[in-house]
Amino acid sequence: MSKLTLGSYPHLLGFEQLERLLERTAKSGNEGYPPFNIEQTSDHSYRITLAVAGFSEANLAITVEDRQLVIRGRQQDDSEGRIYLHRGIAARQFQRTFVLAEGVEVGEAVIENGLLHVDLTRAVPEAVVKTISIRKG
C-alpha cells in the first residue's frame, strides 16, 4: 500500500508546506499530560485550556516557534528533606505543542484555579476576486 500525499492530488497546488506541517504535528510527541480542552469562543477565536495544577506562572513558559504554540511546564522537585509515606503527586515537566494556521495569533494567557487559558484569534482574510486577462500568443 502506497502512502497518499497531497502532491498526488493534481488540483491541490502549493500545499507541500501543509503536508510537512501535518508530518511535524504527528511527530511532536504530545502525550496525555497535561489534559487540555480546545473551545471555540466566537466565529474567529479559540481558547486552549490546560490543567496545570501545582504549576505557578514562574513554572510555565509559552512561546510561538515557527507557527507552533509551545507550552512548557517545569516544576522544581522540592522533596529534599521530606519523608513521603505515599507520593502520588510527582514534580513533572511537560511540553504541549499546537500547530497554528496562517493568520492565527496568540493573545492573552491567564492562569486561575489550576487552569491555564490561552486565547487565540484568527484574522479573517478579505475575499479577493482577481480577473486574469488572456492575451494572444
Side-chain angles (χ1 to χ4, degrees), residues 1-12:
M1 177 181 240
S2 65
K3 177 183 169 187
L4 287 177
T5 63
L6 293 175
S8 63
Y9 294 94
H11 301 308
L12 296 175

Side-chain angles (χ1 to χ4, degrees), residues 10-27:
H11 301 308
L12 296 175
L13 302 174
F15 284 91
E16 299 81 14
Q17 183 178 359
L18 177 61
E19 189 169 5
R20 286 191 297 274
L21 200 59
L22 289 171
E23 287 176 5
R24 187 171 62 186
T25 302
K27 295 176 185 175

Side-chain angles (χ1 to χ4, degrees), residues 49-67:
T49 301
L50 283 85
V52 293
F55 288 86
S56 69
E57 299 88 4
N59 301 131
L60 298 167
I62 303 171
T63 57
V64 177
E65 305 168 9
D66 192 24
R67 289 190 22 210

Side-chain angles (χ1 to χ4, degrees), residues 105-123:
E105 295 292 325
V106 179
E108 174 176 62
V110 177
I111 189 167
E112 62 179 346
N113 300 325
L115 298 174
L116 175 66
H117 305 288
V118 180
D119 292 324
L120 310 170
T121 56
R122 180 174 43 94

